[in-house]
Amino acid sequence: MKMRCCFFLICMLSGLFMQAQPVPLKWEQVAPGVWKTTVGQPDKVDLLSTAGGSPRKEALQKLGELSFPLPQADCNAEIREGKVYLRFPLQEQEQLFGLGLQFKTVNRRGQILNLHMDHYEGRDDGRSHAPVPFYISSSGYGVLINSARYITVYAGTAVRVNSQHPPKAYDRNTDPDWSAQPYSDAVEMLVPTTGTEIYVFAGKNPMEVVQRYNLFNGGGVLPPKWGLGFTHRMPTLSTADQVKAEAGAFSQHGFPLDFIGLEPGWQTKAYPCTFEWDKNRFPDPAGFVKEMQAKGIRLNLWLNPYLSPASSLYNEVKPLSGSHTVWNGLVPDLTLSSAQQVYKNLFKKQHIDIGVSGYKIDEVDGVDSWLWPDVATFPSGTTAEQMRQVYGVMMQRITTEWFKEKGVRTYGLVRASNAGASSFPYVIYNDYYNHRDFITAMCNSSFIGVLWTPEVRASKTAEEWLRRMQSACFSPMAMLNAWADGTKPWSFPEVEKQVKDVALLRMQLFPYLYTVFSQYYLEGKPPVRAMNLVEGFSYQHQSQKTTLDGTENPYQMALREDVKDQFMLGDDLLVAPMFTGQTSRKVILPQGKWYDFYTGEYVGNGNIIVATPGLDKIPLYVKDGGIIPMIPPVLHTPAPGEQLPLEIRHYGEAESTSLLYDDDGQSYDYQHGKYMQYRLSAKMDKQGKWQGQTVVENKQGLKVAYKNIQWRFMLPH
Ligand code: GAL
């Protein structure tokens, strides 16, 4: 008996001991350059299965095979007290990016984040509209934790006693190199659940890692053509007549407009919502939607998913809802197909079938004191924490499917997203309103498969108004959100012309923009790109030491300098927004020659230049050999079958070839290969004269979109 007890005790102790040992992970290749492993017992609800994307196999194949990008023996997991502890190695020079839609910084190395769905409130601490647990290393790999939990990430902050590559110990008393944050050789993560899947993505460079990530999740979204025009959101209690009048004013001012957003007041009740038209403000919704469409303007409806007690669906939805309300509204458990179906029936009938083109899905992110608490329960058994992490993704998925069933693309807004959502036609926005931070968010969106818009709402001065508008016109959604202030693009008459010019420039760039988005779908390359994703961008982060001081900085911290106020739009265009008060700004050019977009002048090569564009312009640069196809300054994006003249601009001295994408602009046929590409080639002939060639490839029975094609060589002087 004694012996048996001892035996059990030894077994138990060794079991405990074994469990506490970090186990090297076993990786299974799931696509070229993509590997997966499973630790412990994963939850039923996770991020990727909620998003439900299927890998774009052919495109992944095209990117090719690579070997596992990390030393496998150094990738470890432990399960302790029912939680997963992970450790991945880091080299000294590596920089880390990703880990959610943060607004202040780009480089994550040295940060501690608790990835938690929330409205961003001014701190890069992990609480964000897209707390995506995916990091990308400058060394060419990415790690995704496929868990819908609040994951804590120590992104190169902690130093273990038995570290293989310990930092040097300095003496703070005498050594100026002493740092409060010594070098750490690992990313460590705590996933507060019994198990998780982990994915590793390889790449020859960080861009390829992001491409594999996006392609693995189904490829990036290709919006309908109208989605890339200008959009305006109405004051919340607007009536149908006021909306029509506003559209009329846009056309009188010669201002582009493709879709209008209706804010909460289109419904009988909002916060919580009924999703039913208010017949006082909109007596004939179907007729109204049709009339607007005939003017070339689509409609987008604001909602949050919480159901009003005044809704006719209330009793049906109640048993399918969580234990807690949001603003007294039911929170339907959308992991249940029955709950999805009830919403679908109503949304289809009330909105989609009468021609509404999309939604703005609000308030699915936070704030803690508004949303359901973490103690809430849901009938499916999904925990409140998981529900919080995935609610926005579920809403994106189901609404996208409803439009897809109808055969039409949608493009809308959402305030919460997460991993696996690259293919969803939604752009993130929020109530935070810092212009500079909005641009940093655009940079960060490019690492994690989401889109972000620096929407314009109101401004204190005409200068601020113009600078914000200029940025919005170079973003995934060019939007004026006048829900609270009733602003119009011409609200500051002193800059009306400049605002109009930049909005029309966006329209002119439509062929380029649409092609850039097609790359998101076809190759996984995000449309807006942080500079750290650009080949040849060799800017070295300089650590600035700050001085010791008894009040502000008792520990002398090294400050990282991030490149977060400029970005690439597609392969060829570098955008460097100006902010209020600036008359000049620094622009860091990647290696290779660069030219001014407006004049074609040579500006530099791999160096830092100073831009002084005046108030009228946003600084834009084109790389050597860049080809920018443009249409005339139209008020609506091209309608199906419409043919427009095309000017193809070539910049610089390099001969080059690029592809110009087109399709029907509204259906999903492109996903079955029904799209065409123009091969655009610029070459210098024997006489030293530039020649441009345009060849249509794979016409696929589609009507060509462009006529009177003219090349314009923007020759440097
Ligand atoms: C906010 C949203 C705003 C606006 C407003 C309407 O939550 O961020 O853009 O839609 O609700 O009440």
Side-chain angles (χ1 to χ4, degrees):
M1 185 64 189
K2 233 178 170 180
M3 284 273 289
R4 261 170 66 187
C5 281
C6 273
F7 178 73
F8 279 126
L9 201 68
I10 288 167
C11 283
M12 270 173 64
L13 284 174
S14 67
L16 277 179
F17 179 71
M18 295 241 321
Q19 212 183 23
Q21 282 303 300
V23 191
L25 301 163
K26 288 206 173 65
W27 298 93
E28 169 206 355
Q29 184 163 355
V30 287
V34 186
W35 294 263
K36 176 179 136 174
T37 192
T38 306
V39 180
Q41 198 60 48
D43 295 325
K44 273 216 302 270
V45 173
D46 64 39
L47 300 176
L48 296 194
S49 59
T50 303
S54 348
R56 300 217 42 241
K57 288 198 186 121
E58 264 176 45
L60 282 161
Q61 214 88 50
K62 231 171 163 180
L63 273 181
E65 300 280 350
L66 285 173
S67 47
F68 192 83
L70 283 160
Q72 292 202 19
D74 296 339
C75 304
N76 297 312
E78 282 172 50
I79 299 184
R80 271 186 261 146
E81 294 174 344
K83 292 177 186 158
V84 181
Y85 291 76
L86 299 169
R87 196 166 76 248
F88 287 84
L90 269 185
Q91 303 288 318
E92 190 152 2
Q93 290 314 317
E94 273 180 70
Q95 296 168 19
L96 300 177
F97 308 104
L99 293 173
L101 188 68
Q102 312 299 337
F103 286 66
K104 294 233 173 251
T105 53
V106 171
N107 200 322
R108 297 274 155 263
R109 186 152 185 172
Q111 294 188 352
I112 300 170
L113 302 145
N114 183 249
L115 297 170
H116 190 136
M117 182 66 75
D118 205 350
H119 191 279
Y120 181 79
E121 291 299 338
R123 276 196 319 273
D124 284 5
D125 57 6
R127 283 194 175 240
S128 154
H129 309 269
V132 180
F134 177 49
Y135 67 86
I136 297 104
S137 158
S138 53
S139 300
Y141 67 88
V143 178
L144 168 71
I145 312 303
N146 182 23
S147 168
R149 297 283 179 173
Y150 305 147
I151 301 169
T152 304
V153 184
Y154 299 87
T157 56
V159 181
R160 292 166 66 91
V161 175
N162 63 0
S163 162
Q164 301 293 304
H165 314 280
K168 196 172 154 199
Y170 293 99
D171 176 9
R172 189 179 169 198
N173 289 336
T174 54
D175 202 328
D177 284 335
W178 184 91
S179 159
Q181 207 174 330
Y183 153 75
S184 151
D185 66 355
V187 175
E188 294 186 85
M189 287 175 276
L190 167 57
V191 189
T193 188
T194 51
T196 183
E197 283 180 358
I198 305 164
Y199 289 83
V200 163
F201 297 82
K204 290 198 275 299
N205 47 44
M207 174 60 111
E208 250 196 44
V209 176
V210 169
Q211 285 178 263
R212 280 198 174 79
Y213 171 82
N214 288 327
L215 291 172
F216 191 73
N217 293 316
V221 55
L222 178 63
K225 285 185 179 174
W226 57 260
L228 298 180
F230 197 86
T231 181
H232 178 70
R233 302 200 70 84
M234 295 295 295
T236 194
L237 290 178
S238 301
T239 63
D241 286 342
Q242 286 166 334
V243 178
K244 288 183 216 165
E246 192 93 319
F250 266 73
S251 102
Q252 271 160 23
H253 281 263
F255 206 91
L257 184 61
D258 266 284
F259 61 113
I260 282 192
L262 305 184
E263 288 287 316
W266 68 271
Q267 301 169 81
T268 51
K269 296 240 183 309
Y271 282 51
C273 301
T274 56
F275 316 117
E276 287 171 36
W277 292 91
D278 180 288
K279 290 290 169 62
N280 293 319
R281 290 186 279 273
F282 295 89
D284 172 20
F288 165 66
V289 174
K290 225 168 146 192
E291 194 180 325
M292 295 300 289
Q293 251 190 37
K295 295 182 185 154
I297 294 163
R298 285 163 175 85
L299 287 163
N300 171 291
L301 300 181
W302 177 100
L303 57 89
N304 65 38
Y306 315 120
L307 190 71
S308 165
S311 162
S312 53
L313 300 182
Y314 193 84
N315 289 336
E316 201 177 344
V317 172
K318 201 169 169 195
L320 309 174
S321 296
S323 56
H324 289 64
T325 58
V326 176
W327 295 300
N328 291 323
L330 295 176
V331 181
D333 181 341
L334 291 176
T335 62
L336 300 172
S337 53
S338 47
Q340 292 179 16
Q341 191 60 42
V342 182
Y343 267 36
K344 180 178 173 181
N345 295 344
L346 180 82
F347 281 50
K348 272 195 67 135
K349 192 159 147 243
Q350 286 275 325
H351 325 138
I352 300 178
D353 288 347
I354 64 166
V356 165
S357 67
Y359 295 109
K360 169 174 170 179
I361 304 167
D362 208 17
E363 322 281 6
V364 278
D365 44 358
V367 177
D368 283 2
S369 51
W370 296 348
L371 235 57
W372 61 88
D374 285 348
V375 295
T377 56
F378 287 86
S380 62
T382 304
T383 66
E385 172 189 10
Q386 293 170 312
M387 205 56 110
R388 176 90 175 249
Q389 298 292 68
V390 300
Y391 212 87
V393 171
M394 286 190 303
M395 281 298 291
Q396 291 181 65
R397 181 178 173 175
I398 61 179
T399 49
T400 305
E401 279 165 8
W402 300 339
F403 283 100
K404 201 164 180 182
E405 277 173 27
K406 213 175 146 61
V408 291
R409 287 182 233 166
T410 175
Y411 197 47
L413 293 147
V414 72
R415 247 182 40 193
S417 197
N418 213 323
S422 322
S423 71
F424 294 133
Y426 282 95
V427 180
I428 306 172
Y429 66 98
N430 71 3
D431 287 342
Y432 184 75
Y433 198 52
N434 180 310
H435 187 186
R436 273 184 183 276
D437 291 0
F438 272 14
I439 304 304
T440 306
M442 279 225 277
C443 297
N444 284 327
S445 68
S446 65
F447 298 111
I448 51 172
V450 299
L451 301 174
W452 160 260
T453 172
E455 65 172 30
V456 183
R457 300 204 288 264
S459 290
K460 291 199 178 71
T461 62
E463 180 194 0
E464 184 193 342
W465 184 250
L466 176 58
R467 291 310 192 197
R468 284 183 179 272
M469 279 286 188
Q470 288 171 341
S471 297
C473 288
F474 286 86
S475 80
M477 191 180 279
M479 175 168 67
L480 171 51
N481 180 8
W483 79 275
D485 306 278
T487 43
K488 324 226 180 271
W490 49 90
S491 280
F492 290 88
E494 55 276 52
V495 291
E496 177 176 347
K497 184 184 171 310
Q498 289 95 328
V499 169
K500 193 158 107 179
D501 286 350
V502 73
L504 289 172
L505 178 57
R506 179 184 176 92
M507 302 304 283
Q508 287 186 270
L509 286 168
F510 170 79
Y512 177 75
L513 260 181
Y514 199 50
T515 301
V516 164
F517 268 91
S518 77
Q519 283 187 315
Y520 195 21
Y521 172 70
L522 294 170
E523 300 169 54
K525 285 183 171 176
V528 166
R529 301 169 195 167
M531 297 311 293
N532 307 85
L533 288 179
V534 177
E535 195 78 275
F537 186 74
S538 62
Y539 182 70
Q540 286 302 313
H541 290 262
Q542 288 149 12
S543 281
Q544 302 171 341
K545 288 269 159 110
T546 57
T547 42
L548 274 177
D549 141 352
T551 52
E552 298 271 307
N553 179 24
Y555 286 101
Q556 190 179 31
M557 300 294 279
L559 297 180
R560 259 186 317 271
E561 212 183 302
D562 270 343
V563 181
K564 55 184 186 177
D565 59 359
Q566 62 176 73
F567 56 88
M568 293 294 297
L569 188 58
D571 290 333
D572 292 336
L573 202 59
L574 192 161
V575 184
M578 299 287 293
F579 305 101
T580 312
Q582 277 186 329
T583 48
S584 67
R585 61 155 293 164
K586 260 182 7 187
V587 182
I588 305 165
L589 298 173
Q591 296 301 318
K593 293 179 176 167
W594 288 82
Y595 298 85
D596 184 285
F597 166 80
Y598 303 95
T599 63
E601 292 294 334
Y602 171 76
V603 291
N605 178 344
N607 55 326
I608 299 180
I609 59 166
V610 176
T612 49
L615 198 57
D616 296 2
K617 292 199 164 62
I618 174 169
L620 300 173
Y621 304 98
V622 184
K623 78 175 189 205
D624 198 9
I627 294 180
I628 313 280
M630 295 169 72
I631 52 173
V634 289
L635 298 189
H636 305 289
T637 49
E642 187 177 353
Q643 278 191 317
L644 288 168
L646 189 73
E647 174 182 289
I648 305 169
R649 293 193 185 177
H650 172 268
Y651 286 80
E653 300 165 1
E655 294 190 332
S656 55
T657 298
S658 76
L659 294 173
L660 164 62
Y661 177 92
D662 196 43
D663 62 16
D664 68 23
Q666 55 183 2
S667 80
Y668 284 89
D669 288 356
Y670 71 96
Q671 294 189 350
H672 309 289
K674 199 161 177 192
Y675 59 85
M676 68 166 121
Q677 282 167 316
Y678 292 73
R679 184 167 290 275
L680 312 177
S681 314
K683 283 198 172 69
M684 200 181 264
D685 67 14
K686 290 204 181 88
Q687 285 73 46
K689 221 171 155 271
W690 279 100
Q691 302 293 347
Q693 208 188 36
T694 315
V695 180
V696 176
E697 291 186 350
N698 317 313
K699 208 167 141 225
Q700 307 267 11
L702 290 156
K703 188 171 170 200
V704 289
Y706 304 111
K707 58 183 181 190
N708 305 335
I709 298 175
Q710 305 279 338
W711 281 80
R712 180 167 165 203
F713 294 95
M714 303 290 289
L715 297 174
H717 298 110

